[in-house]
Amino acid sequence: MHCTNFHRRVLTVTGNGKVTAKASYIQIEIAVSTRGQDIRKAQQDNANSMNRVIQSILALNVPREAIQTAAYTISPTYDYIEGKQVFRDYVVTNAITVKVTDISQAGKVMDVAVQNGANRISSLQFQIENADVYYQQALSLALQNAQMKAKTIAETMHLPLYPQPIEIVEERTEAPALYREVAMVNEAMSTPIEQGEMTISATVRVKFHY
C-alpha cells in the first residue's frame, strides 16, 4: 500500500466559473474645487457650493445617509518665474460619494450636482448588494469546471483518475465592481446611465491523484 501511494502522480487543473448579475446600485464621486489667495475665502466658497450640491441631491429623495465625504484637501499652488517658486493660490477640494439605488436616477443626480456647483465627477462605480451569494454560485461552477477538465484529460490520456480531489485552492479574486470614467456633464442635457450587467468570477486550482 505504501508503495502504491508513493507512485501516484498528481494532475492539477484550474476551474473557472462566472455568473452575471445586474448592478444593485451605483456610487458616484462628486467634487467641488475652489481656489483663491485667501484660504478662508476659498474654504467658505467651497463649503457654500458643496452645501448647495448636497441640498440639490437630497431634493431628489436621495437619503442623507447615502451621501458621505470621500476626501477634503487644501493644496497651495505655485508658479515658477525665472527659476523661483512664487505662490499663486490655494485649491480647496471637497469630494463626496453618493449611493444611488435607483440607477435610472444616476444621470439626474450628476446633472443636478453640476448645475448647483460641482465641477468634477470623477467616477461611477457599479456595485451589487449581497455579491457573496453570486460568488458562491460562481465558485460552485468553478469546481464543476475543474472536475470536468480533470475527467476529460484522464479519459483522453487513458489515465486511472481518482475522482476525490487531494487539494482544492481558491484563487484570490477582486470584489465585483465596474468603474466608468465620466466626462464633465453638460447642464443643457440629461446624462444617460445604462445599468448593464456585471460578471462575478471564481477560480479554483484542484489536484487529483491518477
Side-chain angles (χ1 to χ4, degrees):
M1 179 68 69
H2 177 74
C3 182
T4 302
N5 287 336
F6 180 79
H7 288 292
R8 282 183 182 173
R9 294 161 295 183
V10 175
L11 170 65
T12 303
V13 294
T14 299
N16 300 291
K18 293 182 179 181
V19 175
T20 58
K22 288 190 177 295
S24 306
Y25 66 92
I26 182 171
Q27 190 161 283
I28 309 171
E29 185 169 305
I30 299 170
V32 172
S33 290
T34 53
R35 61 194 312 157
Q37 293 189 337
D38 185 329
I39 189 171
R40 292 184 180 179
K41 186 177 186 305
Q43 286 180 290
Q44 189 59 56
D45 289 346
N46 189 285
N48 292 339
S49 293
M50 182 54 81
N51 284 336
R52 287 197 305 271
V53 169
I54 291 174
Q55 291 304 315
S56 69
I57 294 172
L58 291 173
L60 295 176
N61 295 320
V62 174
R64 185 172 290 275
E65 59 269 23
I67 304 173
Q68 296 183 343
T69 298
Y72 187 87
T73 60
I74 302 174
S75 304
T77 63
Y78 300 91
D79 290 322
Y80 289 88
I81 301 174
E82 296 180 354
K84 294 182 179 181
Q85 181 176 277
V86 179
F87 171 76
R88 181 169 58 182
D89 57 14
Y90 292 99
V91 177
V92 180
T93 301
N94 189 359
I96 59 172
T97 57
V98 182
K99 179 181 178 180
V100 182
T101 54
D102 182 357
I103 294 179
S104 66
Q105 280 284 90
K108 183 67 173 177
V109 168
M110 292 192 297
D111 294 339
V112 165
V114 170
Q115 291 162 12
N116 285 274
N119 46 24
R120 193 178 77 217
I121 298 178
S122 56
S123 68
L124 306 178
Q125 180 180 345
F126 293 81
Q127 289 283 9
I128 300 175
E129 296 280 10
N130 302 317
D132 192 58
V133 173
Y134 295 99
Y135 178 74
Q136 297 303 326
Q137 296 175 15
L139 186 60
S140 177
L141 291 173
L143 289 166
Q144 294 175 36
N145 181 245
Q147 288 181 313
M148 188 186 315
K149 285 181 177 179
K151 182 179 179 182
T152 299
I153 292 171
E155 290 178 351
T156 302
M157 302 299 295
H158 305 291
L159 303 174
L161 184 74
Y162 293 86
Q164 194 72 19
I166 59 172
E167 181 179 285
I168 300 175
V169 179
E170 179 187 10
E171 301 287 353
R172 295 283 297 177
T173 57
E174 294 184 0
L178 175 61
Y179 296 88
R180 292 182 185 171
E181 292 300 316
V182 183
M184 179 53 66
V185 184
N186 188 335
E187 294 185 20
M189 60 186 296
S190 178
T191 304
I193 301 296
E194 299 297 330
Q195 184 175 17
E197 289 189 337
M198 301 173 64
T199 300
I200 300 89
S201 303
T203 302
V204 292
R205 189 173 67 254
V206 185
K207 293 183 179 180
F208 297 87
H209 270 151
Y210 68 94

